[in-house]
Amino acid sequence: MKTKVAIVKCRSYEREKVGRAVKEAFGLLGGMERFIKRGEKVLIKPNMLSARPAEDGVCTHLEVIRSVVRLVKDCGAVPCVGDNPGGSISPAKAYEGSGLLSFAKEEGVELKEVKDIKVVNGIPIASYVFECDKIINLPKMKTHSLMRLTGAVKNMYGAAAGLHKTELHKKFPSPEEFTKVLIDTFEAVKPNLVLMDGIVSMDQAGPASGRLRDTGLLIAGEDSVAVDSVFAELIGIRPLDILTTREAFNRKLGEADLENIEISGEKISDNLIKDFEVPGKPGLITFLGPSAKFVAKFIKFWPRIHEKVCKKCRICAETCPVSAITIDPKKSIIDLKKCIRCMCCHEVCPYRAVELRRNFLAKVFGL
């Protein structure tokens, strides 16, 4: 049988409109009650990258989370919300800064924080993930400076506990190595249901400093790999050109072949997102064949702190896995001799003060 993915239009985050669109998306999959049963404890896992408000387009929008919480309650189940932001930002600070703390009080739901960890596939994962009966994954439709796209599969990396993520970046610095870490995590905490927030998406320098796009879509499914494949197809990228999709597909953790995905609701062909700018153009590298590795040695990219924008909050310095960042009142600098180009500093900076710089070849290949 084909795996099902639903695409639904939703042009704004107005509460009633989001509620109708979310219910429609799950309805096309058979309804929330098909997945969630009375009395179950359900973890709702948003993309809560940092303490950024909804209007920044960095985190899963609160109205999308609210609609899912209410549908879970309608099934007689008990929802809770949890995520572990990157770097040195604590979940408590991220919950407050993103508005989730106030939201939780309004909706009467528990916000989860890491108290214990459980190591699975070599990944230290917040134990509360395993205390829930079901997981609903709520990723944001965005690009990613290291992994090209961050969608449903990568969103489950938020189950990894706090600063352990920084150590994993240090241990596995290349995109290919880090992809295996991401899929090890996804395999350990594979969600039961997915809803991608693409009402407002982010391209260019995602996942935190990119351009916001009014794409007006929600994508739902049981299969995170299939949802990411539909996302890729919508923006004109072959699903298997995304490292996380390819690795998960090769491990048989989901479907990436569009021929085996049944689309309901809106058609992909009617909703193609034009000029969605994604870092990296692997097709050009592939074209070079055996010369690709040689050329790759000369492709350079690196982070740089924009001094006039930097607020000296030190989040980047505390997050850096190799202690390559120095922040002082006069100058904020990144030691490029130490830097492993994991781009964690770019990802966690709440002020968009960390820029990505590229040499000529990197620009040619769209990196």
PDB file of all heavy atoms in Angstrom, residues 353-365:
ATOM      1  N   ALA A 353      23.321  37.733  14.259  1.00  0.00           N
ATOM      2  CA  ALA A 353      24.626  38.393  14.220  1.00  0.00           C
ATOM      3  C   ALA A 353      25.710  37.518  13.608  1.00  0.00           C
ATOM      4  O   ALA A 353      26.788  38.024  13.290  1.00  0.00           O
ATOM      5  CB  ALA A 353      25.044  38.807  15.632  1.00  0.00           C
ATOM      6  N   VAL A 354      25.439  36.229  13.451  1.00  0.00           N
ATOM      7  CA  VAL A 354      26.438  35.329  12.867  1.00  0.00           C
ATOM      8  C   VAL A 354      26.115  35.127  11.391  1.00  0.00           C
ATOM      9  O   VAL A 354      25.090  34.542  11.028  1.00  0.00           O
ATOM     10  CB  VAL A 354      26.479  33.975  13.601  1.00  0.00           C
ATOM     11  CG1 VAL A 354      27.545  33.075  12.978  1.00  0.00           C
ATOM     12  CG2 VAL A 354      26.758  34.173  15.089  1.00  0.00           C
ATOM     13  N   GLU A 355      26.994  35.616  10.552  1.00  0.00           N
ATOM     14  CA  GLU A 355      26.815  35.529   9.103  1.00  0.00           C
ATOM     15  C   GLU A 355      27.591  34.329   8.564  1.00  0.00           C
ATOM     16  O   GLU A 355      28.563  33.882   9.168  1.00  0.00           O
ATOM     17  CB  GLU A 355      27.343  36.795   8.424  1.00  0.00           C
ATOM     18  CG  GLU A 355      26.757  38.084   8.950  1.00  0.00           C
ATOM     19  CD  GLU A 355      27.490  39.291   8.408  1.00  0.00           C
ATOM     20  OE1 GLU A 355      28.734  39.235   8.293  1.00  0.00           O
ATOM     21  OE2 GLU A 355      26.818  40.292   8.102  1.00  0.00           O
ATOM     22  N   LEU A 356      27.174  33.823   7.407  1.00  0.00           N
ATOM     23  CA  LEU A 356      27.926  32.784   6.728  1.00  0.00           C
ATOM     24  C   LEU A 356      28.653  33.403   5.545  1.00  0.00           C
ATOM     25  O   LEU A 356      28.042  34.031   4.689  1.00  0.00           O
ATOM     26  CB  LEU A 356      26.995  31.666   6.248  1.00  0.00           C
ATOM     27  CG  LEU A 356      26.254  30.898   7.339  1.00  0.00           C
ATOM     28  CD1 LEU A 356      25.461  29.747   6.725  1.00  0.00           C
ATOM     29  CD2 LEU A 356      27.206  30.375   8.401  1.00  0.00           C
ATOM     30  N   ARG A 357      29.959  33.236   5.502  1.00  0.00           N
ATOM     31  CA  ARG A 357      30.767  33.750   4.401  1.00  0.00           C
ATOM     32  C   ARG A 357      31.225  32.585   3.529  1.00  0.00           C
ATOM     33  O   ARG A 357      31.482  31.486   4.016  1.00  0.00           O
ATOM     34  CB  ARG A 357      31.986  34.512   4.940  1.00  0.00           C
ATOM     35  CG  ARG A 357      31.653  35.603   5.952  1.00  0.00           C
ATOM     36  CD  ARG A 357      30.707  36.663   5.392  1.00  0.00           C
ATOM     37  NE  ARG A 357      31.318  37.436   4.337  1.00  0.00           N
ATOM     38  CZ  ARG A 357      31.995  38.565   4.524  1.00  0.00           C
ATOM     39  NH1 ARG A 357      32.149  39.056   5.756  1.00  0.00           N
ATOM     40  NH2 ARG A 357      32.524  39.211   3.512  1.00  0.00           N
ATOM     41  N   ARG A 358      31.365  32.826   2.229  1.00  0.00           N
ATOM     42  CA  ARG A 358      31.715  31.771   1.279  1.00  0.00           C
ATOM     43  C   ARG A 358      32.763  32.264   0.294  1.00  0.00           C
ATOM     44  O   ARG A 358      32.735  33.433  -0.086  1.00  0.00           O
ATOM     45  CB  ARG A 358      30.462  31.335   0.500  1.00  0.00           C
ATOM     46  CG  ARG A 358      29.314  30.841   1.372  1.00  0.00           C
ATOM     47  CD  ARG A 358      28.019  30.807   0.585  1.00  0.00           C
ATOM     48  NE  ARG A 358      26.930  30.232   1.351  1.00  0.00           N
ATOM     49  CZ  ARG A 358      26.182  30.905   2.212  1.00  0.00           C
ATOM     50  NH1 ARG A 358      26.428  32.192   2.415  1.00  0.00           N
ATOM     51  NH2 ARG A 358      25.205  30.306   2.862  1.00  0.00           N
ATOM     52  N   ASN A 359      33.644  31.365  -0.128  1.00  0.00           N
ATOM     53  CA  ASN A 359      34.576  31.741  -1.188  1.00  0.00           C
ATOM     54  C   ASN A 359      33.905  31.583  -2.553  1.00  0.00           C
ATOM     55  O   ASN A 359      32.745  31.166  -2.645  1.00  0.00           O
ATOM     56  CB  ASN A 359      35.886  30.952  -1.089  1.00  0.00           C
ATOM     57  CG  ASN A 359      35.719  29.474  -1.447  1.00  0.00           C
ATOM     58  OD1 ASN A 359      34.620  28.989  -1.683  1.00  0.00           O
ATOM     59  ND2 ASN A 359      36.837  28.758  -1.484  1.00  0.00           N
ATOM     60  N   PHE A 360      34.626  31.902  -3.606  1.00  0.00           N
ATOM     61  CA  PHE A 360      34.044  31.928  -4.947  1.00  0.00           C
ATOM     62  C   PHE A 360      33.472  30.568  -5.340  1.00  0.00           C
ATOM     63  O   PHE A 360      32.352  30.472  -5.852  1.00  0.00           O
ATOM     64  CB  PHE A 360      35.091  32.371  -5.967  1.00  0.00           C
ATOM     65  CG  PHE A 360      34.616  32.289  -7.388  1.00  0.00           C
ATOM     66  CD1 PHE A 360      33.723  33.218  -7.892  1.00  0.00           C
ATOM     67  CD2 PHE A 360      35.035  31.260  -8.221  1.00  0.00           C
ATOM     68  CE1 PHE A 360      33.263  33.143  -9.195  1.00  0.00           C
ATOM     69  CE2 PHE A 360      34.596  31.174  -9.532  1.00  0.00           C
ATOM     70  CZ  PHE A 360      33.701  32.121 -10.015  1.00  0.00           C
ATOM     71  N   LEU A 361      34.202  29.479  -5.100  1.00  0.00           N
ATOM     72  CA  LEU A 361      33.741  28.147  -5.487  1.00  0.00           C
ATOM     73  C   LEU A 361      32.484  27.752  -4.729  1.00  0.00           C
ATOM     74  O   LEU A 361      31.581  27.111  -5.279  1.00  0.00           O
ATOM     75  CB  LEU A 361      34.841  27.103  -5.252  1.00  0.00           C
ATOM     76  CG  LEU A 361      35.788  26.840  -6.411  1.00  0.00           C
ATOM     77  CD1 LEU A 361      36.805  25.780  -6.027  1.00  0.00           C
ATOM     78  CD2 LEU A 361      35.028  26.421  -7.668  1.00  0.00           C
ATOM     79  N   ALA A 362      32.420  28.100  -3.444  1.00  0.00           N
ATOM     80  CA  ALA A 362      31.220  27.788  -2.666  1.00  0.00           C
ATOM     81  C   ALA A 362      30.002  28.481  -3.253  1.00  0.00           C
ATOM     82  O   ALA A 362      28.911  27.916  -3.316  1.00  0.00           O
ATOM     83  CB  ALA A 362      31.419  28.216  -1.215  1.00  0.00           C
ATOM     84  N   LYS A 363      30.194  29.723  -3.722  1.00  0.00           N
ATOM     85  CA  LYS A 363      29.081  30.456  -4.335  1.00  0.00           C
ATOM     86  C   LYS A 363      28.679  29.814  -5.657  1.00  0.00           C
ATOM     87  O   LYS A 363      27.503  29.729  -5.983  1.00  0.00           O
ATOM     88  CB  LYS A 363      29.479  31.920  -4.548  1.00  0.00           C
ATOM     89  CG  LYS A 363      29.626  32.711  -3.243  1.00  0.00           C
ATOM     90  CD  LYS A 363      30.113  34.119  -3.511  1.00  0.00           C
ATOM     91  CE  LYS A 363      30.303  34.885  -2.200  1.00  0.00           C
ATOM     92  NZ  LYS A 363      30.850  36.245  -2.424  1.00  0.00           N
ATOM     93  N   VAL A 364      29.658  29.356  -6.410  1.00  0.00           N
ATOM     94  CA  VAL A 364      29.380  28.701  -7.680  1.00  0.00           C
ATOM     95  C   VAL A 364      28.508  27.462  -7.480  1.00  0.00           C
ATOM     96  O   VAL A 364      27.560  27.202  -8.236  1.00  0.00           O
ATOM     97  CB  VAL A 364      30.697  28.311  -8.397  1.00  0.00           C
ATOM     98  CG1 VAL A 364      30.420  27.362  -9.557  1.00  0.00           C
ATOM     99  CG2 VAL A 364      31.395  29.562  -8.895  1.00  0.00           C
ATOM    100  N   PHE A 365      28.829  26.702  -6.415  1.00  0.00           N
ATOM    101  CA  PHE A 365      28.077  25.463  -6.154  1.00  0.00           C
ATOM    102  C   PHE A 365      26.867  25.715  -5.265  1.00  0.00           C
ATOM    103  O   PHE A 365      26.197  24.760  -4.831  1.00  0.00           O
ATOM    104  CB  PHE A 365      29.007  24.424  -5.515  1.00  0.00           C
ATOM    105  CG  PHE A 365      29.936  23.795  -6.515  1.00  0.00           C
ATOM    106  CD1 PHE A 365      31.244  24.227  -6.617  1.00  0.00           C
ATOM    107  CD2 PHE A 365      29.492  22.800  -7.369  1.00  0.00           C
ATOM    108  CE1 PHE A 365      32.093  23.662  -7.556  1.00  0.00           C
ATOM    109  CE2 PHE A 365      30.339  22.236  -8.300  1.00  0.00           C
ATOM    110  CZ  PHE A 365      31.645  22.670  -8.396  1.00  0.00           C
TER     111      PHE A 365
END
